[in-house]
Amino acid sequence: MITIDAIKMRKVVDTFINCKEELDIKILNIEEIIDNITVAWNGADETKLVAVLQEKYVMGLKDLSNCLEEYTKYIDATVDAFDLLDDTFASKKIEV
C-alpha cells in the first residue's frame, strides 16, 4: 500500500520554493559582485575571470535554481495526483 502525507509534502514544496528564492537572491548578489569586478579591474585577466565566473559558476547556480523549480513542480503534481486518487477511491478498497 502506498501512503503519502500530503501536509508534509506540501511543507517540502514550501521549503523548495524558499530555497529557490534564497538561491536566486544569492545569484543576483554574485552577479553584482562580478559586475563590480569589471569596474575595478580591467585587462585580459579580468576578462577571463569574469567569463569563467559567469559561464561556469553563475550558469551552474542558475541550473540548480531551475532544478529546484522543476522538483517543486514535480512534488506538487505528485501530491495533487495522490489527492485525486485518494478522493476518487476513498470509498473503495484497493488491494496492491
Side-chain angles (χ1 to χ4, degrees):
M1 182 168 150
I2 298 173
T3 60
I4 185 169
D5 186 335
I7 294 170
K8 286 183 182 177
M9 293 306 292
R10 297 285 182 206
K11 288 180 183 178
V12 169
V13 168
D14 291 341
T15 300
F16 273 44
I17 290 169
N18 290 336
C19 287
K20 184 197 177 316
E21 289 172 354
E22 288 178 23
L23 180 59
D24 289 343
I25 291 168
K26 299 294 184 189
I27 292 169
L28 289 174
N29 291 341
I30 291 169
E31 289 176 319
E32 288 176 15
I33 291 168
I34 292 170
D35 288 342
N36 288 335
I37 290 172
T38 62
V39 171
W41 184 18
N42 291 310
D45 290 339
E46 172 266 331
T47 303
K48 289 179 188 176
L49 175 64
V50 167
V52 167
L53 291 174
Q54 289 174 334
E55 292 171 15
K56 272 190 169 179
Y57 301 106
V58 173
M59 293 308 297
L61 290 170
K62 286 182 178 182
D63 288 344
L64 177 59
S65 176
N66 291 335
C67 185
L68 284 171
E69 183 175 3
E70 292 303 314
Y71 279 139
T72 300
K73 290 177 185 177
Y74 174 77
I75 293 169
D76 200 34
T78 301
V79 174
D80 289 343
F82 274 96
D83 282 344
L84 178 62
L85 286 171
D86 191 41
D87 291 343
T88 303
F89 296 106
S91 64
K92 299 176 184 174
K93 182 161 175 93
I94 301 173
E95 296 295 330
V96 179

